[in-house]
Amino acid sequence: MSDKKISADLLRGHTDTIILKLLMEGDKYGYELAKQVTVKSGGEYELKEATLYASQRRLEREKAISSYWGDESQGGRRKYYYINTKGVEQFHINKQNWEYAKHILDELI
């Protein structure tokens, strides 16, 4: 892990896309999503709980993801999220937009 941390401002507009990508790998509950962001970024980025839950509510309202309550077999009851067809489509559109913006930024910086 380096001394530098990714600026939250840099990734703020991509939180929904990050969550959609993680859900494409399988159903996950909130803390699991946050932990995966930290692990997959090599500890360089931590998704704040408030940001995560705001994004989950927005994606659910937009019908990109849905949720269900898991059983209580391993402690407290957890709310799991899964991606819908609309969410997969949204992810691909967002990823194309990211690639386009990245191309422009690579040319400018």
Side-chain angles (χ1 to χ4, degrees), residues 24-96:
M24 288 173 73
E25 299 169 0
D27 300 3
K28 292 180 178 50
Y29 58 94
Y31 175 74
E32 187 178 14
L33 284 166
K35 187 173 179 180
Q36 282 292 302
V37 168
T38 303
V39 168
K40 288 182 178 271
S41 71
E44 295 293 320
Y45 183 67
E46 292 181 17
L47 188 56
K48 293 187 176 167
E49 193 174 305
T51 303
L52 171 67
Y53 291 120
S55 184
Q56 287 172 323
R57 284 192 303 273
R58 182 175 44 257
L59 288 167
E60 210 166 9
R61 192 171 51 249
E62 293 171 356
K63 306 218 182 303
I65 65 173
S66 295
S67 62
Y68 62 92
W69 288 99
D71 61 26
E72 297 178 43
S73 64
Q74 296 181 341
R77 215 164 152 209
R78 295 177 175 152
K79 188 174 187 180
Y80 286 83
Y81 295 88
Y82 63 94
I83 192 166
N84 298 320
T85 303
K86 185 175 180 180
V88 173
E89 292 169 1
Q90 183 176 336
F91 168 78
H92 289 295
I93 290 168
N94 292 357
K95 182 129 188 320
Q96 286 176 335

Side-chain angles (χ1 to χ4, degrees), residues 8-26:
D9 290 338
L10 184 61
L11 294 180
R12 183 168 291 128
H14 304 288
T15 303
D16 290 358
T17 307
I18 292 166
I19 290 170
L20 291 171
K21 172 64 173 168
L22 290 171
L23 291 175
M24 288 173 73
E25 299 169 0

Side-chain angles (χ1 to χ4, degrees), residues 92-106:
H92 289 295
I93 290 168
N94 292 357
K95 182 129 188 320
Q96 286 176 335
N97 290 340
W98 164 255
E99 293 294 337
Y100 180 67
K102 183 179 174 299
H103 167 75
I104 291 171
L105 288 170
D106 285 344

